[in-house]
């Protein structure tokens, strides 16, 4: 009888401890205001560029946004010497509209000719005899 009483008391203590624990379920904060992140207008602007002479890497990106209107551009110097520039804009639900341009910045004298490597395969095999 004593063992049954101990089990009942321990069971009640476990239930009481479980009810007093903090719950980690998702629920909105009670002290938060009614304002949500969706109610604020997005507004930002940034610009960055890389010009690394030793590796001949040149590229950059610029963008600005005010609410639903976004515009920007990015550019990269291609391996053949051309500069590729992409200008884009997004206005509300119109989607991403881009204009891609290529500008030849290299001179004919500075461009070295490139010959595609030729691979030679031999049919001889050195299989064990």
């Amino acid at each position: 009888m004593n063992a049954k009483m101990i089990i009942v008391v321990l069971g009640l203590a476990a239930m009481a401890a479980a009810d007093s624990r903090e719950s980690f379920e998702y629920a909105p904060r009670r002290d938060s205001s009614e304002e949500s992140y969706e109610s604020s207008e997005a507004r930002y602007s940034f610009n960055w560029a890389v010009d690394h002479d030793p590796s001949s890497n040149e590229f950059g990106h610029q963008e600005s946004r005010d609410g639903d209107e976004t515009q920007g551009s990015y550019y990269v110097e291609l391996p053949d010497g051309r500069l590729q520039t992409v200008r884009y804009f997004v206005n509300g639900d119109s989607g991403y509209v881009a204009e891609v341009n290529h500008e030849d910045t290299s001179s004919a004298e500075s461009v070295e000719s490139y010959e595609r490597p030729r691979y030679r395969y031999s049919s001889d095999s050195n299989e064990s005899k």
Side-chain angles (χ1 to χ4, degrees), residues 43-94:
R43 187 170 282 134
Y44 62 84
S45 180
F46 66 84
N47 185 0
W48 60 266
V50 173
D51 188 4
H52 190 249
D53 287 332
S55 65
S56 298
N57 280 321
E58 183 180 346
F59 52 94
H61 186 189
Q62 170 274 324
E63 182 175 292
S64 61
R65 180 174 179 183
D66 187 3
D68 288 339
E69 296 181 20
T70 305
Q71 63 180 1
S73 65
Y74 54 91
Y75 66 92
V76 62
E77 186 173 354
L78 300 173
D80 63 2
R82 296 179 300 155
L83 184 68
Q84 176 179 305
T85 304
V86 178
R87 298 184 195 285
Y88 61 90
F89 68 91
V90 179
N91 189 353
D93 293 330
S94 68

Side-chain angles (χ1 to χ4, degrees), residues 78-127:
L78 300 173
D80 63 2
R82 296 179 300 155
L83 184 68
Q84 176 179 305
T85 304
V86 178
R87 298 184 195 285
Y88 61 90
F89 68 91
V90 179
N91 189 353
D93 293 330
S94 68
Y96 181 88
V97 180
E99 174 188 323
V100 181
N101 293 311
H102 293 95
E103 178 184 334
D104 189 8
T105 59
S106 66
S107 64
E109 295 140 5
S110 67
V111 177
E112 297 178 16
S113 64
Y114 174 77
E115 186 175 326
R116 184 175 172 183
R118 295 182 181 168
Y119 298 101
R120 193 177 305 189
Y121 298 99
S122 175
S123 61
D124 296 338
S125 66
N126 294 329
E127 294 178 9

